[in-house]
């Protein structure tokens, strides 16, 4: 669908002026919520800035807004607690991400997320989070809790904290000025009783606070493609079936969104067969969503179309056939993994020395014997 150009700018103007709010520092939470703080500290939410995330930095470095030293529009989601967020989101203003500014380096802080009151839906460019006015009152989901000496706890109107709607202000979709949806979770949030929170913030051992001994708390490391992906392994099944002429590997994705979401990613299926102590590596199968313009891959702000999409989709069962006859006694090793940055663009993004970008991450590995 094409959006008429006037309407397009009207929508931008409506959603571009997020107000600035003051947020408590995440370090303030550490003394009373130490397990949650430690998990959060290592998560991509705490490290979402160009100074802390080399992959984000590499893309931002080439962005026209950075080249012209203008404003950091990415701040809407990557530094939403910035004390100059209004400038970051207003055309013609100057506001760049600053290493020395604590409100920038806080990333997506504890207090920011716990003050999201509701989500304003916009098809272009993205949704907007509405932040509660009161500085130290946090939305909470536990049915029973003791009082906190540091902050008030808001237990009314908080369904969004549990059903995952709290995440869709930033994660639902992001359309560029050509109307292309660059990165999208593209789902009905709740399906089969799972949602963003139940899958990415499962209950793990350790107390909610130092004040009351609860056995478990919601995991705040946000399991994902950078870290703790083993917590998500159970949502994808691997299967090998042989016939007389060949065999098939099935990837059964029980996830309510595509296996990987960001267009930089490349997923790879690696399969090898071992017979009489000798291992043969078969051809790798690759899955990616490639965006571009004029038939060639392009950066997210240039691309106006999806050139190719072989990524495993939400709830998809994908069969991959191998022209190879399995014999009794053979064992087949199947590895499903990914590169955070497609090796084809590593050099152009100058990321060849960043391990996190160049490593192959094993997501799930399974051995099948016949
Ligand atoms: C509407 C919210 C939103 C805006 C605006 C936004 N991003 Fe993001 N960005 C996200 C989310 C959510 C993710 C995580 C997606 C994922 O992992 O699949 C992300 C991830 C990324 C990543 C991958 C980082 C990594 O470590 O692998 C890059 C690169 C990136 N964004 C660049 C940018 C740039 C550059 C801008 C500004 C020009 C920007 N983003 C603006 C929401 C946004
Ligand atoms: C002085 C101690 C203290 C500090 C500092 C503190 N909290 Fe708390 N917080 C508590 C206590 C106590 C509870 C209730 C825990 C319970 O009942 O198990 C609580 C509960 C919460 C809850 C609600 C849990 C629920 O569902 O009922 C949230 C959310 C929360 N804190 C967020 C934060 C954030 C964000 C910060 C930092 C900006 C912070 N807290 C700093 C003591 C503190
Ligand atoms: C204020 C915007 C914002 C909100 C709200 C938000 N996220 Fe994110 N999230 C991001 C951005 C930006 C990134 C990418 C950071 C980067 O890689 O630099 C991200 C990354 C992630 C990742 C990827 C982690 C990894 O290892 O790659 C997961 C998983 C995630 N978020 C889950 C959630 C969940 C679940 C919620 C709701 C409880 C949520 N997010 C709410 C902005 C947000
Ligand atoms: C990206 C959003 C996001 C960020 C950032 C975040 N939280 Fe949470 N937090 C949630 C959600 C959603 C829940 C509800 C989980 C549930 O109901 O299972 C939650 C639950 C909690 C609880 C209740 C514990 C429980 O087991 O339900 C506390 C306490 C808390 N958060 C404190 C913090 C602190 C402290 C930080 C920073 C160190 C933080 N949160 C950062 C989204 C966030
Ligand atoms: C049924 C469980 C499930 C649900 C529901 C779910 N996810 Fe995921 N998510 C996964 C799995 C599995 C992966 C892929 C493995 C990985 O990245 O480690 C993933 C990956 C991600 C990533 C990283 C993608 C990338 O390209 O780096 C983000 C961001 C994310 N999910 C956010 C969300 C958000 C936001 C929601 C809710 C709108 C959500 N997820 C709902 C299971 C789930």
């Amino acid at each position: 669908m094409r959006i008429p150009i006037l309407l397009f700018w009207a929508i931008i103007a409506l959603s571009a002026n997020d107000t600035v709010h003051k947020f408590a520092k995440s370090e303030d939470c550490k003394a009373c919520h130490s397990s949650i703080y430690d998990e959060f500290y290592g998560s991509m939410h705490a490290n979402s800035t160009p100074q802390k995330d080399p992959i984000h930095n590499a893309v931002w470095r080439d962005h026209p807004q950075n080249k012209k030293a203008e404003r950091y529009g990415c701040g809407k989601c990557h530094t939403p607690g910035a004390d100059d967020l209004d400038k970051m989101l207003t055309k013609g203003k100057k506001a760049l991400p600053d290493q020395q500014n604590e409100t920038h380096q806080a990333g997506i802080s504890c207090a920011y997320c716990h003050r999201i009151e509701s989500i304003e839906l916009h098809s272009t460019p993205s949704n907007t989070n509405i932040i509660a006015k009161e500085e130290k009152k946090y939305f909470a989901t536990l049915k029973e809790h003791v009082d906190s000496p540091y902050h008030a706890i808001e237990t009314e109107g908080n369904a969004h904290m549990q059903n995952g709607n709290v995440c869709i202000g930033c994660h639902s979709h992001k359309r560029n000025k050509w109307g292309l949806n660059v990165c999208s979770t593209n789902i009905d949030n709740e399906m089969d009783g799972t949602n963003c929170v139940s899958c990415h913030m499962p209950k793990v051992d350790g107390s909610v606070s130092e004040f009351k001994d609860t056995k478990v708390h919601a995991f705040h490391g946000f399991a994902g493609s950078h870290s703790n992906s083993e917590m998500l392994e159970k949502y994808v099944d691997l299967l090998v079936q042989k016939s007389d002429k060949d065999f098939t590997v099935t990837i059964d994705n029980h996830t309510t969104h595509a296996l990987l979401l960001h267009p930089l990613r490349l997923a790879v299926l690696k399969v090898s067969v071992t017979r009489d102590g000798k291992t043969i590596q078969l051809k790798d199968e690759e899955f990616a969503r490639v965006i571009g313009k004029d038939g060639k891959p392009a950066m997210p702000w240039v691309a106006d179309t999806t050139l190719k999409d072989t990524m495993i989709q939400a709830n998809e069962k994908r069969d991959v056939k191998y022209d190879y006859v399995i014999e009794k006694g053979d064992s087949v090793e199947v590895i499903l993994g990914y590169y955070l940055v497609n090796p084809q663009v590593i050099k152009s993004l100058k990321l060849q020395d960043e391990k996190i970008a160049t490593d192959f991450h094993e997501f799930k590995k399974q051995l099948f014997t016949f």
Side-chain angles (χ1 to χ4, degrees):
M1 187 192 76
R2 282 187 68 89
I3 300 163
I5 198 81
L6 261 177
L7 179 64
F8 175 75
W9 288 113
I11 300 168
I12 298 253
L14 269 180
S15 54
N17 289 292
D18 282 18
T19 24
V20 170
H21 298 270
K22 195 169 176 291
F23 296 95
K25 291 185 202 154
S26 297
E27 285 73 28
D28 288 359
C29 324
K30 188 178 180 179
C32 305
H33 300 288
S34 59
S35 315
I36 289 180
Y37 177 85
D38 289 346
E39 290 159 3
F40 166 79
Y41 188 77
S43 79
M44 288 319 291
H45 287 144
N47 294 286
S48 59
T49 69
Q51 286 81 9
K52 293 180 178 174
D53 175 358
I55 301 178
H56 176 54
N57 186 48
V59 177
W60 165 243
R61 193 168 44 213
D62 287 342
H63 195 279
Q65 284 174 358
N66 186 30
K67 296 232 144 142
K68 287 186 255 161
E70 278 175 353
R71 59 189 183 88
Y72 181 58
C74 326
K76 180 172 180 179
C77 305
H78 284 263
T79 62
D83 57 4
D84 52 355
L85 185 69
D86 51 347
K87 292 198 185 71
M88 286 181 175
L89 302 184
T90 308
K91 226 174 173 235
K93 298 272 188 209
K94 258 194 187 336
L96 291 167
D98 178 2
Q99 172 92 60
Q100 305 308 325
N101 185 325
E102 277 186 11
T103 68
H104 292 187
Q105 297 310 324
I108 298 132
S109 70
C110 312
Y112 180 87
C113 219
H114 281 281
R115 276 174 63 194
I116 297 177
E117 189 174 77
S118 60
I119 315 294
E120 229 173 62
L121 302 179
H122 300 277
S123 90
T124 304
S126 60
N127 294 337
T128 298
N129 295 321
I130 305 301
I131 301 299
K133 291 214 165 50
E134 206 170 318
E135 192 182 326
K136 285 194 181 151
K137 185 157 92 180
Y138 301 132
F139 289 102
T141 57
L142 294 179
K143 285 200 178 61
E144 283 172 37
H145 54 76
V146 295
D147 284 339
S148 160
Y150 174 84
H151 56 76
I153 297 175
E154 180 57 82
T155 51
E156 295 292 316
N158 55 9
H160 64 305
M161 296 299 290
Q162 221 147 16
N163 65 19
N165 278 343
V166 67
C167 321
I168 67 161
C170 304
H171 280 275
S172 162
H173 58 273
K174 189 182 137 218
R175 254 178 257 279
N176 69 10
K177 65 174 167 178
W178 315 111
L180 176 72
N181 200 341
V182 171
C183 180
S184 161
T185 34
N186 237 346
I187 60 167
D188 275 346
N189 188 32
E190 188 125 17
M191 273 172 90
D192 306 330
T194 63
N195 65 44
C196 321
V197 173
S198 68
C199 287
H200 289 281
M201 302 181 74
K203 299 287 178 202
V204 294
D205 289 347
S207 197
V208 166
S209 79
E210 321 296 311
F211 278 54
K212 186 179 155 197
D213 197 15
T214 45
K215 290 214 161 43
V216 293
H217 65 277
F219 182 64
H220 274 68
F222 300 92
S225 52
H226 286 69
S227 57
N228 304 294
S229 69
E230 67 284 354
M231 287 179 157
L232 298 166
E233 204 191 294
K234 64 177 175 209
Y235 297 110
V236 181
D237 288 329
L238 300 172
L239 188 75
V240 176
Q241 278 171 305
K242 74 182 183 87
S243 79
D244 296 344
K245 297 191 292 295
D246 51 23
F247 74 96
T248 305
V249 177
T250 305
I251 302 168
D252 189 358
N253 182 22
H254 306 292
T255 311
T256 46
H257 57 68
L259 183 65
L260 293 168
L261 304 163
H262 201 277
L264 275 177
R265 317 286 188 231
L266 177 74
V268 186
L269 183 68
K270 292 178 180 287
V271 176
S272 62
V273 182
T274 302
R275 179 176 300 165
D276 304 329
K278 257 181 70 186
T279 301
I280 304 164
Q281 191 71 39
L282 303 181
K283 190 174 162 290
D284 288 352
E285 186 77 16
E286 298 183 343
F287 313 99
R289 173 170 176 258
V290 182
I291 56 172
K293 188 182 164 70
D294 301 330
K296 282 196 287 266
M299 289 303 252
W301 51 91
V302 178
D304 60 6
T305 188
T306 299
L307 297 176
K308 179 179 100 168
D309 193 354
T310 55
M311 187 51 75
I312 317 283
Q313 296 303 307
N315 291 299
E316 186 192 344
K317 241 184 183 175
R318 178 79 60 93
D319 288 339
V320 182
K321 251 198 171 63
Y322 293 85
D323 270 336
Y324 190 94
V325 182
I326 303 264
E327 290 174 5
K328 201 168 164 44
D330 284 355
S331 59
V332 180
E333 188 188 63
V334 179
I335 299 172
L336 177 63
Y338 49 81
Y339 296 95
L340 286 173
V341 178
N342 192 323
Q344 288 188 4
V345 297
I346 283 278
K347 276 224 179 87
S348 60
L349 286 172
K350 303 188 189 72
L351 279 169
Q352 58 270 31
D353 298 327
E354 293 290 348
K355 226 174 118 42
I356 184 79
T358 57
D359 267 2
F360 178 69
H361 300 252
E362 275 184 16
F363 173 59
K364 187 156 187 156
K365 180 162 146 179
Q366 220 168 315
L367 192 68
F368 300 84
T369 43
F370 290 86

